[in-house]
Every structure is written in structure tokens, then in C-alpha cells.
Amino acid sequence: MRPENYEAQRQPPSHEYELNIGPNHPGIEGNYAFKLRLHGDTVLEGKADAGYLHRGFEKLMEGRLWIQNLAITPRICVPDPVPMEVSYVLAVEELCGLEVPERAQWLRVLQLELSRIAAHLFTFGGHAATTGMYSTMFWGMADRDLVLDLFEELTGGRVYHIYNIPGGVRRDIPDGFLDRVKRTLDYLESRLPDYDNLLFTNQVFVQRAKGVGTMSREQALEWGVTGPNLRATGLKFDVRRDDPYLVYEDLEFEIPSEEAGDAWARTLVRRKELVESIRIARQVVAALPKIRGTIRCPIPNPLAWSVPAGSAYTRVESSKGELAWYVVSNGGERPYRTHVRGPSQMHAVQVLEKLSVGARLEDIAQTMFSLDACPPEVDR
Amino acid sequence: MSKDLSTWLDTLLNELQGIEVRRRSSRRIRVDVQPDALPALLELLRGRASYVHLSAISCVDWIDEGEFELVYHVWSYEIGSLVSAHTRIARDPGVYISVYDIYTPAAFFERDIHEMFGVFFEGSPDMSRFILTEWDGPPPMRKDFDSEAWVNAHFDFQDYQPDWLQEIEAKGGGVAVRPDEQRFSRRDLDAS
């Protein structure tokens, strides 16, 4: 067996040197490596290297029952697991033709938006840390924990909820839960001015983030960029509005965008999305008491459940961009094939490689965090 | 604007020979196309009907039919619909043409499919290993790849019986699944 990643090294010119960021490095997100070739502080070439976190989920899911796979889906992206669950469940529902009760759809939206808030707070912290500002990370982690408390109360799990099942959700909200959601949302909103002072208007951060990792709208479209990274180049596209699912058509929210397309613009878009997510979550909190009825439709015995043959491609907007599952059934008790399309498969690999050329070494970590790369989505 | 583009799309899909179009909903269109016509279809979809976003390329191994199914999901920001173009290629030799010149993101998906299914895409910029750097087995996502058999043939198992567990078991306790009940046990392999 060969040593890991062995290949004959071509000899670079004497002024060039190589530097590996990762797989274990504070400047990298997750178990992922980014291999650089540099001249002085300037990056000549960057190569993404995945595989340190490969768990073979897509193969694993082919051997497990439709219902068992629910436990796998959220584990694909740790910071923002809910869109993974919802997207897979939507695909199974499309294959089976299940009608999801309205109350369950609203509950899913509430969960999705809370997850987006938690993921963005996480990202701000990581991004700030790459510029040497660790306080934002501590604040972000502490505030994210309040959202995780809500998840724990609603679903029993803090990070992996496995709350969505085909046909609806597992359980209804506990007594007084909506009040606690409201209080948490109020608190998070009251914290925003503090975050502005600490990070978003902090000149240390602004000066570092402006002009870093800039891409134009044409480049973003060419490279398949989605989500906040695309909106930071001025294109107001959001799957929630333009390819709506669940009850997003009934909700009022803006699609924030920026023009600059750099790390700073991407952060600002996420900052504005936080406000919009709080706004959506408030609408759900106000609407839920009026929406009565069941939280799931009847499904067959899940341990002997043959899903009709066919294929479904379901997209949702995760905190990182367009997330989709392609699920194929051949009429059996297990999926014939599942394929996950994570937004990071674009911006953590090709886009990061392209943006790093000509960048300075100290901006590489910041570029990666400002793109909100999630390596587990690449590795699966 | 988008109305004009949808007219282009309808014209395009009606006039092309040898494709089968099914509208599954207002924003989902399924197209079945022969492998030799697929690049031309994508070129037209992108150039004439604004389908600029390649969302994903999925591969399905239909082993009983001896075919790989490749599905190209493309989205139009202006029309607001997703076209899934399905095509089937022979499983052996499993060679197809790259659409990298039409869609840049295809490089990632083609590299991934090459790694996981062994389909070679001619003209793709990089067909080197990405995730399975040290892997020297067959492409693992193929249906004829048996994970369990591979693991049994390539890895040694060790029964988990640390001292602390033996002490607990001596007092009548233990873990929920006892080592001798484990599904993969070295003992079973030795016995067989």
C-alpha cells in the first residue's frame, strides 16, 4: 500500500514553496485540506483535497429502509442539518404522493429558519476568528446555544433532530414553546446592535474583509454558485421564493443582496438574512396557534414500506445555498439511489480554488469561511 | 422577458427529434434523450432558453439492464423551471463525453461520478481521485460492489473485551450487545 496521497513531486522553481492548510488546522472548516503553492505571500495555485470525512452515506442509504435513512441525512452537514432532513423527506413524499398536513409544513418552516439563524451565527464566529477576532465566535456560540435549547425541547436532539418524517413531523410543540421561541427571537434581535459594534461595523474587520475573494455576478453564475454567495453579487435568487416549497409562498420576507461580491458583501448578506429569518420565524409563531389539525398524514408500516418506483429531485435553500436530493426508487423497501447536491460542492472546491489564485496567504482562511464552505457536504 | 424565453423552450423541445418530454409540474420538466443528442440539447437549453445553472449531475447504476443513467438537472433563473435530462449509456465500457465546455460546474460532478461509478468522461479537465485518494478497489457506488464482503476481505476484526468490561461482566453487568453477539466477529470468520 502506498503512503497516503503519495505522488512524485515535480520540483518547483526555487522561489516557490508549498503549504498545506488542513486537514487539521484552525484556518480550515472541517476535516478538509487546501494545498497551496506560493511565492512569498502570494498564492499561485490552490488545490482542494477532500476525503478526510468520507462516510459513504449515499452507499449506506441504499442498504437501509426509507425510514432508517432519516437518521443519516442530518449528519451530512453538521452546522445546518435541518434542510438535509427536509429535502430528503420532500423527495420521499413526492415519490409516494403524500399530502403533508398544513401544520406540519409550518412547523418545518419554523425549524428551517431557526436552523438558518444558528448556522449564520456559527459562520460569523468562524469568519471573525480567521481575522483574529475571537469574541464574535464566543458570542455566536453562546447565542446559537439558545436556539439549540429550543431544538432540544422540540425534537429531543440539539444538533441532529431527526424531527421530519415522510408525511409530517414526529411530534407537536410542547406547551409554552411558542412563547419561548418568541423570547429567544426577541433576545437575538436585541443582540444585533452588539454584533454590529463588535463585527459588522468594526473597522478591523471591514478593512480586512473588503476586496477579499471577490467574484463578479457572471463568474458566480458560471461557477454554479448559489445562496448568500450568489446574492452577494447582486442576483436576488432564493429557492424559497423562486422555487417555493412548504408554505414559503404564504410568508413575507425580503431577499437581501449586495453588489460587491467580496467577503464583506457575503457577510453583510448573511447579517441581513438573520433579520429576515427572525421575521419569518415570528410569522410562523403568530400563525401556528390558528392552524390546527394533525401533524402527519397516515403512512404505511415504515418497516415494510415499499415506495413506488420513480425519481424525485427536491431543492431547498439551506444557509449555504441550493441543497437538493435526487432520490430514485425501484419500488423496493430501500432507496435504489440517493444523491445529495450540497451547495459547498461548488464553492468549497472549484470556486475556492479559483478565488485563491493571486490572493494573499492570510486571506485564504477568510475566503473559505466567507464562502461558508461545509466540507461534509463535499465528502458525504 | 421570461415569456419569450418559455416560448423558445417550447419551440426547442417540440422541434428536437428523438426526445421525450414530460411536464411533471409547472416548474419540473423531465426530458429523456439519447446519449449522442444530450450535449446538443444542453447547449440549446443554455444558449437559447437561459438554462445557465447546472444544479447537479446524478448517476444511477441500473445493473440489471447493463446501463448507467445520467441525469443532468439544469435550472433557468429567468423562466424559473428545472429541466432534468435523463440519458442512458452502456455500463461497459462506461465512457461518455464531458459537458464541461457548456457548464463549468460539471467538472466536479464528473470527477465524482468517475470516482464513485467508474464512468470516464472524455474531455473533462480532471479525472483524478478526489475523495477516495488511497482507494485501490472497484468504484464503490456500483451496485455490484458489496461493502460487507469488501470489509470482511480487507480488514481484521478484534473483539472488544477490555479489562473494565470484563470486570463488569464478572459482576453480572455488561453492554447491550455482547461481543459474542456482534454481527462482525473475528470468531465467526475463523470458524467458517
Side-chain angles (χ1 to χ4, degrees):
Chain A
M1 203 158 174
R2 297 185 307 275
E4 188 183 355
N5 297 351
Y6 173 78
E7 56 185 26
Q9 292 287 321
R10 78 190 164 83
Q11 290 297 322
S14 58
H15 62 267
E16 287 178 14
Y17 66 103
E18 288 180 355
L19 186 71
N20 284 9
I21 302 186
N24 288 306
H25 190 280
I28 201 111
E29 275 183 281
N31 300 352
Y32 198 64
F34 199 51
K35 298 180 172 171
L36 302 172
R37 197 156 60 79
L38 298 116
H39 176 202
D41 275 355
T42 309
V43 178
L44 300 172
E45 187 190 19
K47 278 272 169 224
D49 180 20
Y52 300 96
L53 197 58
H54 186 59
R55 296 149 291 177
F57 280 155
E58 289 175 3
K59 184 80 178 177
L60 196 58
M61 287 174 77
E62 289 174 9
R64 294 162 60 110
L65 300 174
W66 291 94
I67 202 88
Q68 286 178 309
N69 286 329
L70 296 173
I72 291 181
T73 49
R75 288 174 161 82
I76 293 176
C77 184
V78 187
D80 194 11
V82 182
M84 285 282 175
E85 278 182 29
V86 171
S87 181
Y88 171 75
V89 162
L90 285 174
V92 179
E93 281 158 5
E94 190 181 319
L95 287 171
C96 299
L98 293 176
E99 288 284 331
V100 183
E102 201 184 350
R103 189 171 170 84
Q105 300 198 26
W106 284 82
L107 283 169
R108 282 180 184 174
V109 170
L110 178 67
Q111 204 202 2
L112 280 166
E113 293 309 319
L114 289 176
S115 179
R116 191 184 317 277
I117 293 169
H120 279 347
L121 288 171
F122 205 50
T123 306
F124 293 145
H127 187 182
T130 63
T131 61
M133 299 161 64
Y134 287 91
S135 303
T136 321
M137 189 151 86
F138 303 142
W139 286 20
M141 292 299 277
D143 287 344
R144 174 178 179 265
D145 235 44
L146 299 173
V147 181
L148 301 193
D149 287 344
L150 294 175
F151 281 143
E152 188 177 8
E153 192 183 344
L154 179 65
T155 70
R158 292 178 75 78
V159 177
Y160 302 130
H161 317 125
I162 317 170
Y163 178 63
N164 297 278
I165 60 168
V169 293
R170 261 196 301 122
R171 53 199 270 200
D172 213 328
I173 46 174
D175 286 340
F177 179 72
L178 291 180
D179 285 334
R180 286 186 283 280
V181 174
K182 213 190 277 178
R183 272 209 299 277
T184 307
L185 293 174
D186 289 345
Y187 169 77
L188 289 174
E189 197 177 49
S190 74
R191 289 280 283 170
L192 286 173
D194 294 339
Y195 276 101
D196 284 341
N197 284 334
L198 185 69
L199 184 73
F200 298 109
T201 58
N202 185 336
Q203 282 305 306
V204 176
F205 181 72
V206 175
Q207 300 287 336
R208 275 298 304 275
K210 267 190 181 166
V212 167
T214 311
M215 58 181 158
S216 67
R217 191 187 308 174
E218 289 70 28
Q219 283 173 324
L221 287 172
E222 175 74 32
W223 297 341
V225 176
T226 52
N229 300 332
L230 179 63
R231 294 192 279 277
T233 65
L235 188 74
K236 288 194 180 219
F237 173 77
D238 192 312
V239 180
R240 288 175 290 173
R241 189 195 62 185
D242 297 293
D243 192 8
Y245 50 99
L246 301 175
V247 288
Y248 277 110
E249 274 173 311
D250 303 338
L251 292 162
E252 278 180 26
F253 59 100
E254 299 291 321
I255 314 283
S257 73
E258 285 285 326
E259 294 294 326
D262 56 5
W264 171 238
R266 295 195 276 273
T267 308
L268 275 190
V269 168
R270 292 198 186 91
R271 157 77 173 77
K272 292 177 187 166
E273 273 184 17
L274 212 54
V275 179
E276 294 304 321
S277 286
I278 292 174
R279 187 174 158 201
I280 296 174
R282 284 211 174 111
Q283 291 175 52
V284 178
V285 169
L288 258 181
K290 284 170 251 155
I291 299 159
R292 297 185 190 283
T294 55
I295 52 160
R296 58 174 175 265
C297 63
I299 56 170
N301 176 3
L303 301 180
W305 185 9
S306 297
V307 167
S311 65
Y313 190 71
T314 44
R315 315 198 302 162
V316 300
E317 181 80 23
S318 87
S319 65
K320 287 125 186 41
E322 176 199 3
L323 171 74
W325 278 91
Y326 181 63
V327 179
V328 181
S329 171
N330 62 349
E333 291 179 347
R334 295 171 172 81
Y336 190 75
R337 165 88 168 115
T338 56
H339 176 218
V340 60
R341 186 261 189 230
S344 303
Q345 291 173 1
M346 289 301 109
H347 60 242
V349 187
Q350 292 182 44
V351 177
L352 182 63
E353 284 176 359
K354 286 178 169 118
L355 291 182
S356 66
V357 176
R360 287 177 64 82
L361 173 60
E362 67 266 26
D363 288 335
I364 295 298
Q366 199 192 167
T367 306
M368 186 169 185
F369 275 83
S370 73
L371 288 167
D372 205 358
C374 183
E377 281 176 1
V378 183
D379 257 344
R380 288 129 46 230
Chain B
M1 183 66 182
S2 63
K3 199 180 171 192
D4 294 346
L5 282 169
S6 350
T7 321
W8 272 108
L9 176 71
D10 292 339
T11 321
L12 193 153
L13 292 178
N14 285 334
E15 284 181 0
L16 279 177
Q17 301 291 315
I19 66 167
E20 191 188 331
V21 184
R22 268 177 281 176
R23 286 179 192 276
R24 300 170 67 160
S25 70
S26 60
R27 295 190 304 270
R28 293 285 184 279
I29 300 169
R30 180 190 163 126
V31 180
D32 286 272
V33 58
Q34 291 301 312
D36 50 358
L38 181 103
L41 173 73
L42 291 183
E43 184 96 49
L44 288 169
L45 281 175
R46 186 192 164 98
R48 296 223 185 135
S50 82
Y51 283 80
V52 295
H53 176 57
L54 176 69
S55 182
I57 306 175
S58 305
C59 182
V60 189
D61 181 7
W62 296 102
I63 189 166
D64 294 340
E65 288 115 83
E67 287 175 323
F68 284 121
E69 182 180 24
L70 294 169
V71 191
Y72 294 73
H73 309 278
V74 291
W75 168 260
S76 163
Y77 287 107
E78 286 169 82
I79 301 176
S81 77
L82 185 100
V83 173
S84 292
H86 296 241
T87 191
R88 285 181 177 233
I89 60 167
R91 207 164 172 276
D92 186 37
V95 176
Y96 195 53
I97 193 158
S98 168
V99 296
Y100 174 68
D101 54 337
I102 311 172
Y103 291 106
T104 312
F108 174 86
F109 297 115
E110 287 170 355
R111 192 178 178 185
D112 195 61
I113 292 171
H114 176 245
E115 194 165 30
M116 298 296 173
F117 289 90
V119 179
F120 189 85
F121 289 89
E122 286 177 349
S124 200
D126 191 0
M127 288 272 103
S128 61
R129 293 270 165 81
F130 184 55
I131 291 173
L132 307 173
T133 319
E134 289 175 80
W135 183 254
D136 53 4
M141 284 299 292
R142 287 187 179 217
K143 283 284 174 187
D144 50 6
F145 177 81
D146 184 342
S147 310
E148 195 173 326
W150 176 268
V151 168
N152 284 331
H154 288 80
F155 295 97
D156 287 332
F157 287 93
Q158 198 174 15
D159 290 331
Y160 185 64
Q161 283 176 314
D163 293 344
W164 62 266
L165 184 58
Q166 288 177 20
E167 279 173 30
I168 292 173
E169 282 181 333
K171 293 175 194 160
V175 291
V177 180
R178 295 168 55 83
D180 52 344
E181 292 167 351
Q182 277 174 11
R183 195 172 165 210
F184 301 111
S185 174
R186 185 76 247 172
R187 272 179 228 151
D188 302 341
L189 292 173
D190 293 341
S192 60

